[in-house]
Amino acid sequence: MSTVREAVLELLRRHDMTTLFGNPGSTELPMLAELPPDFRYVLGLQEATVVGLADGYAQASGRPALVNLHTAPGVGNAMGAIFNAHANKSPVVVTAGQQYRSLMTLQANLTNRDATLMPHPLVKWSYEPPRAEDVPHALARAIHTASLPPRGPSFLSIPMDDWSVEVDSDAVRHQTARAVSGASVAGPDRVSELAQRLNEASRPALVAGPDIDACGGWDAAIRLAERQRLAVYATPAPGGGRIGFPEDHPLFQGILPPAVLPVGEMLAAHDLVIAAGTSIFPYYPNVPGPLLAPGTALVAITSDPDEAARAPMGDAIVADVALTLAALADGAGESQRSAPAPRPPAEPAPASDPMSPSTAVRALAEIFPGDGIVVLESPSATLALRNQLRLKQPGSYYFSSGGGLGFGMPAAIGVQLAQPSRPVVCVIGEGSAQYAIQSLWTAAAYDVPVTFLVLRNDEYAILKWFGMLEDIVGAPGLDLPALDCAAVASGYGVNARVAGNVDELGEALAAALESSKPELVEVRVAPGMALA
Ligand SMILES: Cc1ncc(C[n+]2csc(CCOP(=O)(O)OP(=O)(O)O)c2C)c(N)n1
């Protein structure tokens, strides 16, 4: 006979989920007592940080990650980060403590009253087991649900008296030893039909979405694009949480604009567009217009049935993106059509004081290691960074597809924990940094050597730009005077440097990247949007 706790620990070992991300309270202590030495507990000082850590870790490791939160208030604090994990299709398994079963009906202090309703609609599955002995089976189900495509968070509420209850070892062995996999293949007719359409097209294009990276589809996407001489675009930046195609490749034409009218206009140059591993499309702001030009057809390839169903135009194939792209590359063969002209190299921004955000990210590009990873949350510098850096390796870029701030800092730490041999740089606005600032403590406490590059412009630049687009004048609350991230970092135990010019910035970044500890580099940049 074993207990719920022993069965759960064994289940987590089987799934290689021995790193736990949490913030504990009284209701979680029974689970954590005498945690075996093969487990690692990573403490986040607020729940947004905890889930952000797990989101980055799950995405960069390609495996589900376990979160442990403190009953209702812990889940409440985590909701914005759970929203991001859902948009990122990140397999985060969120558990939360709950009152003693015998005290739940009278609603004793800290009872999570409607525990399963609370995280809806941001989780794929939410559950509180009817009996203590069902906890291992329910956790196995939560792990499988989070890991099957489309990946995303699941939630389990666990009453604190469940851990010591004995389980039926034979039943638990069956329930928890199962391997479940979910890469589905498109029907051969659908693939050959699309291959034929591709061969007949005269100016076809590929839109590369984040799920190409998540499912390991870079090679298939490159092979298809090269064989068919496709013009390749990245999905619009707000929903492009990952990069699915090398951005320095001669076929790569740039990032699609994020609104209906300009997307339709840009794709008008193509008679067939294959959009792989992306929603159609992550539009924002609202610039209405024709979804597609009359001469353009679109076919989406996605592993997410909801993405396929809600697309406003085009056909869709629901199947694993990497397998389908590979089958399409085989089926369509080599085309003799002429390849599109490569886009020009990135130009430096004109010199200014303070420097443009574009100049700052160019300084990063100059010293950026080939195997480096960027975690980005700097709204007004997003396009400049993508243009100046031109990342060319899988798993090199993480951005919050949901758009909720508070992802960047903790996710960068989670990514670094999952990829200890690759240097991780978190490029972040000083405003965005505040939404999960206490994650700096976790980086310092666990010696996670992320470099944080803070672009300080004393404002919410993107919101001022958005206001201009929408003719909104006089909105308060868009300025951030005297917000000193370097001083805050020191308080959390992270070494901070302030760079005053481009040379100092290059030196500070190089030193930070060399360091085996977390480092923060703050640089003052000009206000406003940097578009290239
Ligand atoms: C949780 C959350 N709250 C508020 C917002 C709205 N928001 C979007 S961008 C932004 C400003 C970010 O400021 P900063 O990081 O300094 O970047 P900048 O726009 O100056 O580049 C805000 C407040 C959001 N996206 N998420």
Side-chain angles (χ1 to χ4, degrees):
M1 280 295 205
S2 62
T3 62
V4 165
R5 185 167 179 278
E6 286 159 357
V8 160
L9 293 177
E10 198 44 42
L11 170 70
L12 294 173
R13 284 189 186 104
R14 278 179 178 275
H15 286 275
D16 214 355
M17 294 172 69
T18 52
T19 297
L20 316 183
F21 299 93
N23 185 268
S26 49
T27 46
E28 293 70 46
L29 292 178
M31 176 196 168
L32 298 174
E34 306 285 1
L35 198 65
D38 58 326
F39 280 77
R40 166 167 68 164
Y41 184 83
V42 181
L43 174 64
L45 300 186
Q46 206 263 13
E47 288 80 359
T49 282
V50 175
V51 174
L53 289 163
D55 187 345
Y57 187 83
Q59 289 196 67
S61 66
R63 293 197 312 271
L66 193 84
V67 163
N68 187 232
L69 302 177
H70 182 47
T71 179
V75 176
N77 281 348
M79 286 300 282
I82 296 175
F83 170 87
N84 283 334
H86 186 257
N88 292 336
K89 298 185 180 167
S90 190
V92 174
V93 179
V94 181
T95 60
Q98 170 67 297
Q99 250 304 355
Y100 273 85
R101 286 185 184 264
S102 57
L103 295 178
M104 284 165 62
T105 303
L106 67 86
Q107 214 173 303
N109 198 26
L110 285 172
T111 301
N112 193 353
R113 204 188 75 174
D114 289 314
T116 59
L117 293 184
M118 203 173 169
H120 272 292
L122 305 176
V123 293
K124 290 178 69 184
W125 185 63
S126 172
Y127 201 61
E128 190 170 74
R131 305 178 307 165
E133 48 269 60
D134 297 324
V135 169
H137 188 189
L139 185 60
R141 186 171 166 185
I143 293 168
H144 297 312
T145 303
S147 309
L148 286 167
R151 293 178 141 201
S154 57
F155 176 77
L156 194 62
S157 164
I158 308 175
M160 62 189 290
D161 48 335
D162 285 6
W163 295 102
S164 55
V165 170
E166 289 196 342
V167 293
D168 173 343
S169 303
D170 187 54
V172 161
R173 187 174 56 79
H174 282 295
Q175 291 155 357
T176 58
R178 303 171 58 237
V180 178
S181 56
S184 61
V185 185
D189 291 357
R190 291 284 86 77
V191 175
S192 49
E193 217 172 80
L194 184 54
Q196 194 181 337
R197 284 176 77 176
L198 203 46
N199 283 331
E200 286 165 8
S202 50
R203 299 173 319 278
L206 173 71
V207 177
D211 290 349
I212 293 180
D213 199 35
C215 72
W218 273 55
D219 289 348
I222 294 167
R223 198 156 66 87
L224 175 68
E226 288 179 349
R227 298 188 99 188
Q228 282 288 312
R229 306 185 179 186
L230 303 176
V232 183
Y233 301 90
T235 206
R242 298 172 71 156
I243 285 177
F245 199 84
E247 302 210 328
D248 68 339
H249 193 286
L251 292 170
F252 187 72
Q253 305 291 300
I255 307 176
L256 283 182
V260 170
L261 177 72
V263 168
E265 284 174 350
M266 189 166 276
L267 295 181
H270 305 286
D271 52 352
L272 179 64
V273 175
I274 294 174
T278 173
S279 68
I280 311 295
F281 281 112
Y283 298 117
Y284 200 68
N286 178 34
V287 184
L291 289 161
L292 285 178
T296 307
L298 182 142
V299 181
I301 299 170
T302 171
S303 60
D304 182 347
D306 185 58
E307 226 164 57
R310 70 177 197 260
M313 75 281 202
D315 300 329
I317 294 174
V318 179
D320 182 80
V321 176
L323 295 176
T324 310
L325 289 174
L328 197 55
D330 292 339
E334 297 268 357
S335 163
Q336 295 310 315
R337 67 172 74 85
S338 50
R343 66 180 178 150
E347 290 293 327
S352 62
D353 187 18
M355 72 184 81
S356 155
S358 180
T359 307
V361 292
R362 192 178 176 89
L364 173 65
E366 267 158 28
I367 57 144
F368 197 69
D371 60 346
I373 299 176
V374 166
V375 181
L376 180 62
E377 194 170 74
S378 175
S380 62
T382 300
L383 293 177
L385 180 128
R386 290 283 287 276
N387 182 39
Q388 298 288 344
L389 211 48
R390 303 199 174 185
L391 294 161
K392 47 178 173 278
Q393 275 199 40
S396 296
Y397 178 83
Y398 298 90
F399 177 90
S400 169
S401 287
L405 300 177
F407 167 81
M409 274 194 165
I413 300 164
V415 168
Q416 183 75 86
L417 286 169
Q419 296 286 345
S421 62
R422 294 181 64 179
V424 177
V425 180
C426 173
V427 180
I428 191 158
E430 90 274 48
S432 300
Q434 308 314 313
Y435 292 77
I437 189 77
Q438 66 289 114
S439 47
L440 288 171
W441 179 88
T442 303
Y446 295 85
D447 265 344
V448 191
V450 172
T451 295
F452 298 94
L453 170 58
V454 176
L455 303 183
R456 178 177 178 179
N457 59 6
D458 289 355
E459 63 175 12
Y460 287 156
I462 189 97
L463 298 185
K464 291 188 177 177
W465 175 79
F466 194 83
M468 245 162 44
L469 278 185
E470 301 271 317
D471 287 331
I472 295 164
V473 282
L478 304 182
D479 289 303
L480 302 178
L483 182 46
D484 188 344
C485 286
V488 174
S490 305
Y492 281 118
V494 170
N495 183 41
R497 304 156 203 260
V498 178
N501 57 44
V502 188
D503 293 340
E504 284 177 21
L505 178 59
E507 281 161 27
L509 284 172
L513 278 162
E514 276 295 303
S515 166
S516 57
K517 299 205 168 294
E519 304 273 342
L520 183 141
V521 177
E522 182 187 288
V523 64
R524 200 172 272 281
V525 295
M529 284 284 281
L531 297 173

